Amino acid sequence: MGNLYHDYNANAKTISNLVAQTITFTGTDMPSSGVVAYHIYFTGGAANQLGNLTRCRVKANSQTIYDFNPATHFRTFIERISRANYAPASTVVRFTIPFYLPDAKGDDRYVSQFPRNAIPTIELVTNASFITGTALVGWQRTDMKPALFPKLLGITLNAAASLTNYTYPISTDGEVRGFSINTTGLNRAKLVLDDVVRWQYDGTFALEGNQLENPQTITDPLFNKLHGTQPAPPGRSYWNLDTAGGWAGVANESVLWTFHKQ
């Protein structure tokens, strides 16, 4: 059994008024050893919210390990994996970036941590709606020995509307635990990992197939957990898509949630 320790940095970062900006925390602002979660908190008003962030990136020794849209794919990720029946609204002014296993029970969840001996960076990219205020960072740490670290990486699919049998290759050096994809305008999506079809649905079946496993209202985009994990080596792993006219276009993403040995 391990212990958990909670702390934060009271030296806030300044948020500029009504300009798109990147708010950055580095290794001088926060620890990395034993970190199982970072917490982000904005002050200054309701405009400084999750829905006005356009990107969040977390880096370990300059390697990007988390890269997601906070108000869409990250929100549905938390909605799916939270054991607390929690789904963050786009209007929240605080959120957590987890490295532990939120869907697991007991202390075993904390064997997954931020990469060991790595210098952390968090980049919070805002739109021009953010107003004068501050951003703060907090964290949870454990004294348990790490075994894994996660990645949560968005992939721009480059798939236009009204395509048939479009293939996008994917690969990772870890094990895939879950993924998200947009369901609006999705006629069919097939996810192949290591030459194994792990998931094939249209948008409506994708929502319904997840309904009894999700603690909150199922919304687009959809995050799915695999039963177990699956490798995704290059050349043997890909998305195959049929899109309708309602598909939002080439900017639509998929996000892979993967785990890697420490």
Side-chain angles (χ1 to χ4, degrees):
M1 178 179 293
N3 293 306
L4 274 181
Y5 305 91
H6 303 255
D7 207 344
Y8 75 105
N9 187 345
N11 295 318
K13 301 289 184 179
T14 299
I15 300 173
S16 299
N17 193 49
L18 297 177
V19 294
Q21 60 203 285
T22 300
I23 304 164
T24 303
F25 296 98
T26 68
T28 60
D29 303 307
M30 57 200 177
S32 63
S33 176
V35 167
V36 295
Y38 289 121
H39 308 300
I40 304 297
Y41 173 42
F42 301 115
T43 72
N48 297 347
Q49 59 177 262
L50 193 70
N52 287 330
L53 288 174
T54 60
R55 210 74 191 171
C56 176
R57 298 184 185 92
V58 181
K59 298 178 181 179
N61 286 344
S62 299
Q63 179 190 23
T64 301
I65 59 171
Y66 276 32
D67 184 2
F68 53 79
N69 184 309
T72 56
H73 287 270
F74 178 73
R75 175 196 53 74
T76 200
F77 166 70
I78 297 297
E79 178 183 58
R80 180 66 178 87
I81 67 170
S82 171
R83 292 181 56 82
N85 292 353
Y86 176 64
S90 62
T91 54
V92 299
V93 297
R94 55 182 171 81
F95 68 100
T96 293
I97 305 170
F99 303 104
Y100 68 103
L101 305 172
D103 57 337
K105 296 181 179 179
D107 283 354
D108 287 346
R109 72 180 77 181
Y110 300 119
V111 300
S112 179
Q113 303 172 17
F114 189 85
R116 181 167 41 189
N117 300 323
I119 299 172
T121 304
I122 300 175
E123 298 173 353
L124 305 168
V125 184
T126 81
N127 63 24
S129 296
F130 261 56
I131 61 175
T132 300
T134 60
L136 297 98
V137 63
W139 52 84
Q140 295 181 40
R141 302 175 77 181
T142 182
D143 52 16
M144 291 184 63
K145 183 178 179 180
L148 304 168
F149 71 90
K151 292 184 181 180
L152 188 70
L153 295 175
I155 307 166
T156 302
L157 292 170
N158 292 316
S162 303
L163 285 180
T164 301
N165 209 31
Y166 171 81
T167 298
Y168 186 91
I170 60 176
S171 66
T172 175
D173 57 356
E175 296 273 329
V176 179
R177 180 71 176 91
F179 61 92
S180 65
I181 192 168
N182 293 85
T183 56
T184 300
L186 182 64
N187 277 350
R188 182 189 60 85
K190 179 169 68 174
L191 177 65
V192 177
L193 300 174
D194 200 16
D195 281 342
V196 177
V197 179
R198 288 303 306 260
W199 192 86
Q200 182 167 223
Y201 273 146
D202 71 0
T204 302
F205 275 124
L207 294 172
E208 183 58 29
N210 222 4
Q211 187 68 63
L212 300 185
E213 298 293 330
N214 198 299
Q216 296 288 336
T217 302
I218 302 292
T219 54
D220 179 76
L222 180 68
F223 190 88
N224 297 265
K225 289 195 306 181
L226 296 180
H227 184 72
T229 61
Q230 184 87 39
R236 298 165 58 90
S237 310
Y238 56 89
W239 278 111
N240 185 260
L241 306 176
D242 295 342
T243 63
W247 178 259
V250 295
N252 269 354
E253 289 187 315
S254 170
V255 172
L256 289 184
W257 185 33
T258 60
F259 285 91
H260 308 256
K261 292 181 180 179
Q262 291 261 25

